[in-house]
Amino acid sequence: MRYLSTRGQAPVSAAQAILNGLSPDGGLYVPESIPAAPAEWLDPACACTYQELAAQVLSLYFPELGKDALKTMCQEAYASFAAPEVTPVTRLDDDTWLLELYHGPTLAFKDVALQLLPRLIVRAARLTGEKRTIHILTATSGDTGKAALEGFRDVEGTACTVFYPKDGVSELQYRQMATSQGKNVQVVAVRGNFDDAQTGVKRLFSDPGFRAELDREGRLPSSANSINIGRLIPQIVYYFFGYRALRQAEQLQAGETMDVCVPTGNFGDILAAWYAKRMGLPIGKLICASNRNRVLTDFFETGVYSTDRPFHKTISPSMDILISSNLERLLFELCGRDAETVRGWMASLKENGRFVLPEELLKKLQAEFAAGTADDGQTREAIRLTYERCHALTDPHTAVGLSVLEGLRRGTADRRVTLVNATASPYKFVSDVSEALGLTAAGRVFDDARALAAATGTALPNQISALETMEIRHKAVSDPAQMGDAVMAFVRKES
Ligand SMILES: *Cc1c(COP(=O)(O)O)cnc(C)c1O
């Protein structure tokens, strides 16, 4: 299977696509063809585990990595998940089910892909003859950083540096990152906001001097963010797994479709659902749920994608995003894989902050996708109502999805079985969840977490309680201009 760039450059092998992350022409890699799912994946009698299903999905997209190697990788990657099913499906009511994606080591859905990606990268490096250590450089606004640190921790042949904005992450997110273990990981606070950290990382990637210095130390810089095809493909698995669980629970007849509702930021998670549908999974509507940063809702309603708007900080910070990178992959497929058209849209986005979809393509899009928005007030309301009606605790990102779903259902008799992605543990956002439930916050995050557990009779995850006494191991602080020096100092100390 070869991988095409959405901007037209010659295709590369799967291994090369995984190692490159982004295509050198600035495009994203997409598989040359979309494989069909074998019928047994939809069969409720099929007994294969999540890990086995994952290995089968990955073998279709990355056959050159080798079936047995992929099997081993999937077993190892998901051994760290607290739920034996990896992504359990739980009932809210007969028509509304949660696909719980947050049982990994860092309590957010990013673990599903980031526990696997380091293994894919190491394998890809072996196949392409790459001898250098792959050094991941990532800027984070919170969730991705910790998931990358856990994924790459002590993985032979890799190292990982995470930059976060010094005063821009929550206390729990700070503690999660600053207590990280593993001899190949580095965490650096950047004086500035997320954009400063992100711009700093992009500068390092395009700085020949820095790249040469790293090369002299036997290292190749790479990226773990969600444009890497090695992060997208593992996310296809749980939609098949979720569908089979609904068939096993006798909520769906053979061949009957389910809708999926996905709290969306960079458009990776929902795009994986679109791939699953193309592979043959019976999905009806793909519901794209946004917070107050409703750039995607407007796009699906009007065909105009415009970043010329204020940026809002919300209680669902992992969805505070105005440029949803993975949308480019969908656009490429939508226009019949015409790279020139995609280049035009992306150039327009860069130069004018907007692009406009022709009417007939908008119609095609609207036939498959529905979209909606929930502001912080509606999000809190959804957290409260879900708890009151179903006794289920949901985090603010998941609650955006539930609120949008309820809004779309209102006024219609159409209640189709819908799988809603639960993307983070409510304990990761304990202050906002407590507030939504009307619990008074003590102000100390660990006290609040214990109070939430006591008030709701839910279990406080170990990963949260353990943070209270874990040693702060990473104290480095850097100016945006000195980020490269920080990396090199770590590299020289390590080697
Ligand atoms: C990253 C993230 C999202 C958004 O997922 P995308 O693939 O970027 O659309 C939603 N919820 C949580 C908790 C996340 O960490």
Side-chain angles (χ1 to χ4, degrees), residues 108-110 143 226 235 263-270 318-319 395 397 423-424 429:
F109 96 96
K110 305 231 170 19
D143 285 343
S226 79
Q235 297 181 4
T264 296
N266 216 14
F267 209 74
D269 203 3
I270 192 165
S318 299
M319 295 156 63
D395 96 289
H397 303 79
T423 52
F429 299 92

PDB file of all heavy atoms in Angstrom, residues 108-110 143 226 235 263-270 318-319 395 397 423-424 429, ligand 1:
ATOM      1  N   ALA A 108      -6.916  10.239  28.276  1.00  0.00           N
ATOM      2  CA  ALA A 108      -7.559  10.902  27.132  1.00  0.00           C
ATOM      3  C   ALA A 108      -7.461   9.991  25.912  1.00  0.00           C
ATOM      4  O   ALA A 108      -6.619   9.099  25.866  1.00  0.00           O
ATOM      5  CB  ALA A 108      -6.902  12.244  26.837  1.00  0.00           C
ATOM      6  N   PHE A 109      -8.322  10.212  24.927  1.00  0.00           N
ATOM      7  CA  PHE A 109      -8.398   9.265  23.809  1.00  0.00           C
ATOM      8  C   PHE A 109      -7.120   9.232  22.981  1.00  0.00           C
ATOM      9  O   PHE A 109      -6.886   8.297  22.236  1.00  0.00           O
ATOM     10  CB  PHE A 109      -9.623   9.573  22.929  1.00  0.00           C
ATOM     11  CG  PHE A 109      -9.349  10.419  21.730  1.00  0.00           C
ATOM     12  CD1 PHE A 109      -9.124   9.821  20.494  1.00  0.00           C
ATOM     13  CD2 PHE A 109      -9.305  11.793  21.806  1.00  0.00           C
ATOM     14  CE1 PHE A 109      -8.865  10.586  19.370  1.00  0.00           C
ATOM     15  CE2 PHE A 109      -9.047  12.571  20.689  1.00  0.00           C
ATOM     16  CZ  PHE A 109      -8.821  11.963  19.470  1.00  0.00           C
ATOM     17  N   LYS A 110      -6.267  10.250  23.134  1.00  0.00           N
ATOM     18  CA  LYS A 110      -5.029  10.280  22.344  1.00  0.00           C
ATOM     19  C   LYS A 110      -4.138   9.068  22.617  1.00  0.00           C
ATOM     20  O   LYS A 110      -3.327   8.688  21.779  1.00  0.00           O
ATOM     21  CB  LYS A 110      -4.277  11.567  22.636  1.00  0.00           C
ATOM     22  CG  LYS A 110      -5.143  12.805  22.386  1.00  0.00           C
ATOM     23  CD  LYS A 110      -4.489  13.797  21.533  1.00  0.00           C
ATOM     24  CE  LYS A 110      -5.328  14.945  21.040  1.00  0.00           C
ATOM     25  NZ  LYS A 110      -6.574  15.269  21.708  1.00  0.00           N
ATOM     26  N   ASP A 143      -3.164  17.768  26.433  1.00  0.00           N
ATOM     27  CA  ASP A 143      -3.383  16.318  26.358  1.00  0.00           C
ATOM     28  C   ASP A 143      -2.370  15.567  25.496  1.00  0.00           C
ATOM     29  O   ASP A 143      -1.893  14.499  25.864  1.00  0.00           O
ATOM     30  CB  ASP A 143      -4.789  16.025  25.812  1.00  0.00           C
ATOM     31  CG  ASP A 143      -5.869  16.293  26.845  1.00  0.00           C
ATOM     32  OD1 ASP A 143      -5.538  16.386  28.039  1.00  0.00           O
ATOM     33  OD2 ASP A 143      -7.049  16.417  26.456  1.00  0.00           O
ATOM     34  N   SER A 226      -1.255  14.957  15.159  1.00  0.00           N
ATOM     35  CA  SER A 226      -2.298  14.080  14.623  1.00  0.00           C
ATOM     36  C   SER A 226      -2.380  14.074  13.099  1.00  0.00           C
ATOM     37  O   SER A 226      -3.231  13.402  12.536  1.00  0.00           O
ATOM     38  CB  SER A 226      -3.659  14.434  15.223  1.00  0.00           C
ATOM     39  OG  SER A 226      -4.194  15.568  14.577  1.00  0.00           O
ATOM     40  N   GLN A 235      -7.148   4.741  14.945  1.00  0.00           N
ATOM     41  CA  GLN A 235      -8.434   5.236  15.440  1.00  0.00           C
ATOM     42  C   GLN A 235      -9.627   4.652  14.678  1.00  0.00           C
ATOM     43  O   GLN A 235     -10.766   4.768  15.118  1.00  0.00           O
ATOM     44  CB  GLN A 235      -8.464   6.765  15.370  1.00  0.00           C
ATOM     45  CG  GLN A 235      -7.404   7.383  16.275  1.00  0.00           C
ATOM     46  CD  GLN A 235      -7.410   8.896  16.264  1.00  0.00           C
ATOM     47  OE1 GLN A 235      -8.258   9.533  15.639  1.00  0.00           O
ATOM     48  NE2 GLN A 235      -6.459   9.483  16.957  1.00  0.00           N
ATOM     49  N   PRO A 263     -16.832  14.629  19.381  1.00  0.00           N
ATOM     50  CA  PRO A 263     -16.329  15.944  19.795  1.00  0.00           C
ATOM     51  C   PRO A 263     -15.036  16.234  19.033  1.00  0.00           C
ATOM     52  O   PRO A 263     -14.091  15.459  19.117  1.00  0.00           O
ATOM     53  CB  PRO A 263     -16.041  15.785  21.294  1.00  0.00           C
ATOM     54  CG  PRO A 263     -16.577  14.457  21.695  1.00  0.00           C
ATOM     55  CD  PRO A 263     -16.756  13.637  20.462  1.00  0.00           C
ATOM     56  N   THR A 264     -15.005  17.324  18.286  1.00  0.00           N
ATOM     57  CA  THR A 264     -13.972  17.484  17.266  1.00  0.00           C
ATOM     58  C   THR A 264     -13.114  18.730  17.456  1.00  0.00           C
ATOM     59  O   THR A 264     -13.612  19.793  17.813  1.00  0.00           O
ATOM     60  CB  THR A 264     -14.651  17.512  15.880  1.00  0.00           C
ATOM     61  OG1 THR A 264     -15.265  16.242  15.643  1.00  0.00           O
ATOM     62  CG2 THR A 264     -13.653  17.783  14.778  1.00  0.00           C
ATOM     63  N   GLY A 265     -11.810  18.556  17.202  1.00  0.00           N
ATOM     64  CA  GLY A 265     -10.864  19.670  17.218  1.00  0.00           C
ATOM     65  C   GLY A 265     -10.096  19.690  15.920  1.00  0.00           C
ATOM     66  O   GLY A 265     -10.381  20.443  14.999  1.00  0.00           O
ATOM     67  N   ASN A 266      -9.099  18.795  15.834  1.00  0.00           N
ATOM     68  CA  ASN A 266      -8.239  18.757  14.646  1.00  0.00           C
ATOM     69  C   ASN A 266      -8.803  17.853  13.544  1.00  0.00           C
ATOM     70  O   ASN A 266      -8.157  17.613  12.549  1.00  0.00           O
ATOM     71  CB  ASN A 266      -6.840  18.294  15.052  1.00  0.00           C
ATOM     72  CG  ASN A 266      -5.767  18.994  14.265  1.00  0.00           C
ATOM     73  OD1 ASN A 266      -6.012  19.998  13.608  1.00  0.00           O
ATOM     74  ND2 ASN A 266      -4.562  18.468  14.307  1.00  0.00           N
ATOM     75  N   PHE A 267      -9.997  17.311  13.749  1.00  0.00           N
ATOM     76  CA  PHE A 267     -10.718  16.504  12.765  1.00  0.00           C
ATOM     77  C   PHE A 267     -10.121  15.114  12.537  1.00  0.00           C
ATOM     78  O   PHE A 267     -10.448  14.434  11.574  1.00  0.00           O
ATOM     79  CB  PHE A 267     -10.827  17.255  11.416  1.00  0.00           C
ATOM     80  CG  PHE A 267     -12.048  16.903  10.617  1.00  0.00           C
ATOM     81  CD1 PHE A 267     -13.295  17.367  10.995  1.00  0.00           C
ATOM     82  CD2 PHE A 267     -11.965  16.096   9.489  1.00  0.00           C
ATOM     83  CE1 PHE A 267     -14.437  17.027  10.260  1.00  0.00           C
ATOM     84  CE2 PHE A 267     -13.091  15.755   8.745  1.00  0.00           C
ATOM     85  CZ  PHE A 267     -14.323  16.233   9.141  1.00  0.00           C
ATOM     86  N   GLY A 268      -9.240  14.659  13.450  1.00  0.00           N
ATOM     87  CA  GLY A 268      -8.651  13.339  13.270  1.00  0.00           C
ATOM     88  C   GLY A 268      -9.611  12.213  13.649  1.00  0.00           C
ATOM     89  O   GLY A 268      -9.803  11.249  12.896  1.00  0.00           O
ATOM     90  N   ASP A 269     -10.226  12.362  14.812  1.00  0.00           N
ATOM     91  CA  ASP A 269     -11.085  11.314  15.348  1.00  0.00           C
ATOM     92  C   ASP A 269     -12.282  11.053  14.419  1.00  0.00           C
ATOM     93  O   ASP A 269     -12.601   9.907  14.086  1.00  0.00           O
ATOM     94  CB  ASP A 269     -11.570  11.776  16.734  1.00  0.00           C
ATOM     95  CG  ASP A 269     -11.977  10.620  17.618  1.00  0.00           C
ATOM     96  OD1 ASP A 269     -11.841   9.468  17.183  1.00  0.00           O
ATOM     97  OD2 ASP A 269     -12.435  10.882  18.741  1.00  0.00           O
ATOM     98  N   ILE A 270     -12.930  12.105  13.964  1.00  0.00           N
ATOM     99  CA  ILE A 270     -14.114  11.921  13.111  1.00  0.00           C
ATOM    100  C   ILE A 270     -13.715  11.455  11.705  1.00  0.00           C
ATOM    101  O   ILE A 270     -14.433  10.698  11.052  1.00  0.00           O
ATOM    102  CB  ILE A 270     -14.991  13.196  13.061  1.00  0.00           C
ATOM    103  CG1 ILE A 270     -16.361  12.884  12.426  1.00  0.00           C
ATOM    104  CG2 ILE A 270     -14.293  14.339  12.340  1.00  0.00           C
ATOM    105  CD1 ILE A 270     -17.400  13.965  12.654  1.00  0.00           C
ATOM    106  N   SER A 318      -9.137  21.002  24.503  1.00  0.00           N
ATOM    107  CA  SER A 318      -8.527  20.206  23.427  1.00  0.00           C
ATOM    108  C   SER A 318      -9.272  20.383  22.110  1.00  0.00           C
ATOM    109  O   SER A 318      -8.861  19.853  21.083  1.00  0.00           O
ATOM    110  CB  SER A 318      -8.497  18.726  23.810  1.00  0.00           C
ATOM    111  OG  SER A 318      -7.720  18.564  24.970  1.00  0.00           O
ATOM    112  N   MET A 319     -10.382  21.115  22.143  1.00  0.00           N
ATOM    113  CA  MET A 319     -11.133  21.414  20.920  1.00  0.00           C
ATOM    114  C   MET A 319     -11.077  22.901  20.591  1.00  0.00           C
ATOM    115  O   MET A 319     -11.798  23.361  19.703  1.00  0.00           O
ATOM    116  CB  MET A 319     -12.593  20.968  21.076  1.00  0.00           C
ATOM    117  CG  MET A 319     -12.718  19.460  21.225  1.00  0.00           C
ATOM    118  SD  MET A 319     -14.220  18.964  22.079  1.00  0.00           S
ATOM    119  CE  MET A 319     -15.462  19.567  20.954  1.00  0.00           C
ATOM    120  N   ASP A 395     -16.875  14.104  30.790  1.00  0.00           N
ATOM    121  CA  ASP A 395     -15.959  15.245  30.788  1.00  0.00           C
ATOM    122  C   ASP A 395     -16.521  16.316  29.844  1.00  0.00           C
ATOM    123  O   ASP A 395     -17.442  16.038  29.059  1.00  0.00           O
ATOM    124  CB  ASP A 395     -14.558  14.782  30.348  1.00  0.00           C
ATOM    125  CG  ASP A 395     -14.336  15.013  28.874  1.00  0.00           C
ATOM    126  OD1 ASP A 395     -14.963  14.294  28.078  1.00  0.00           O
ATOM    127  OD2 ASP A 395     -13.604  15.949  28.517  1.00  0.00           O
ATOM    128  N   HIS A 397     -15.476  17.650  27.058  1.00  0.00           N
ATOM    129  CA  HIS A 397     -15.402  17.374  25.615  1.00  0.00           C
ATOM    130  C   HIS A 397     -16.527  16.434  25.190  1.00  0.00           C
ATOM    131  O   HIS A 397     -17.234  16.675  24.210  1.00  0.00           O
ATOM    132  CB  HIS A 397     -14.037  16.767  25.253  1.00  0.00           C
ATOM    133  CG  HIS A 397     -12.873  17.630  25.653  1.00  0.00           C
ATOM    134  ND1 HIS A 397     -12.418  17.668  26.942  1.00  0.00           N
ATOM    135  CD2 HIS A 397     -12.120  18.496  24.954  1.00  0.00           C
ATOM    136  CE1 HIS A 397     -11.410  18.524  27.014  1.00  0.00           C
ATOM    137  NE2 HIS A 397     -11.213  19.042  25.821  1.00  0.00           N
ATOM    138  N   THR A 423     -14.181  11.178  25.104  1.00  0.00           N
ATOM    139  CA  THR A 423     -12.773  11.363  24.740  1.00  0.00           C
ATOM    140  C   THR A 423     -11.835  11.609  25.912  1.00  0.00           C
ATOM    141  O   THR A 423     -10.623  11.565  25.736  1.00  0.00           O
ATOM    142  CB  THR A 423     -12.617  12.505  23.720  1.00  0.00           C
ATOM    143  OG1 THR A 423     -13.285  13.664  24.224  1.00  0.00           O
ATOM    144  CG2 THR A 423     -13.204  12.124  22.374  1.00  0.00           C
ATOM    145  N   ALA A 424     -12.358  11.908  27.087  1.00  0.00           N
ATOM    146  CA  ALA A 424     -11.459  12.083  28.242  1.00  0.00           C
ATOM    147  C   ALA A 424     -12.175  11.641  29.510  1.00  0.00           C
ATOM    148  O   ALA A 424     -13.410  11.660  29.587  1.00  0.00           O
ATOM    149  CB  ALA A 424     -11.019  13.534  28.375  1.00  0.00           C
ATOM    150  N   PHE A 429     -10.750  16.727  34.157  1.00  0.00           N
ATOM    151  CA  PHE A 429     -11.284  18.096  34.152  1.00  0.00           C
ATOM    152  C   PHE A 429     -12.174  18.279  35.371  1.00  0.00           C
ATOM    153  O   PHE A 429     -13.309  18.747  35.277  1.00  0.00           O
ATOM    154  CB  PHE A 429     -12.026  18.346  32.833  1.00  0.00           C
ATOM    155  CG  PHE A 429     -11.122  18.204  31.646  1.00  0.00           C
ATOM    156  CD1 PHE A 429     -10.990  16.989  30.993  1.00  0.00           C
ATOM    157  CD2 PHE A 429     -10.352  19.277  31.217  1.00  0.00           C
ATOM    158  CE1 PHE A 429     -10.113  16.844  29.919  1.00  0.00           C
ATOM    159  CE2 PHE A 429      -9.478  19.144  30.145  1.00  0.00           C
ATOM    160  CZ  PHE A 429      -9.363  17.928  29.499  1.00  0.00           C
TER     161      PHE A 429
HETATM  162  C1  LIG B   1      -7.740  15.849  21.037  1.00  0.00           C
HETATM  163  C2  LIG B   1      -9.056  15.765  21.731  1.00  0.00           C
HETATM  164  C3  LIG B   1     -10.281  15.962  21.046  1.00  0.00           C
HETATM  165  C4  LIG B   1     -10.356  16.316  19.570  1.00  0.00           C
HETATM  166  O1  LIG B   1      -9.965  15.274  18.727  1.00  0.00           O
HETATM  167  P1  LIG B   1      -9.543  15.597  17.205  1.00  0.00           P
HETATM  168  O2  LIG B   1      -9.056  14.294  16.655  1.00  0.00           O
HETATM  169  O3  LIG B   1      -8.433  16.611  17.302  1.00  0.00           O
HETATM  170  O4  LIG B   1     -10.724  16.118  16.498  1.00  0.00           O
HETATM  171  C5  LIG B   1     -11.453  15.825  21.773  1.00  0.00           C
HETATM  172  N1  LIG B   1     -11.445  15.554  23.093  1.00  0.00           N
HETATM  173  C6  LIG B   1     -10.301  15.367  23.778  1.00  0.00           C
HETATM  174  C7  LIG B   1     -10.362  15.084  25.231  1.00  0.00           C
HETATM  175  C8  LIG B   1      -9.059  15.466  23.131  1.00  0.00           C
HETATM  176  O5  LIG B   1      -7.908  15.298  23.828  1.00  0.00           O
END
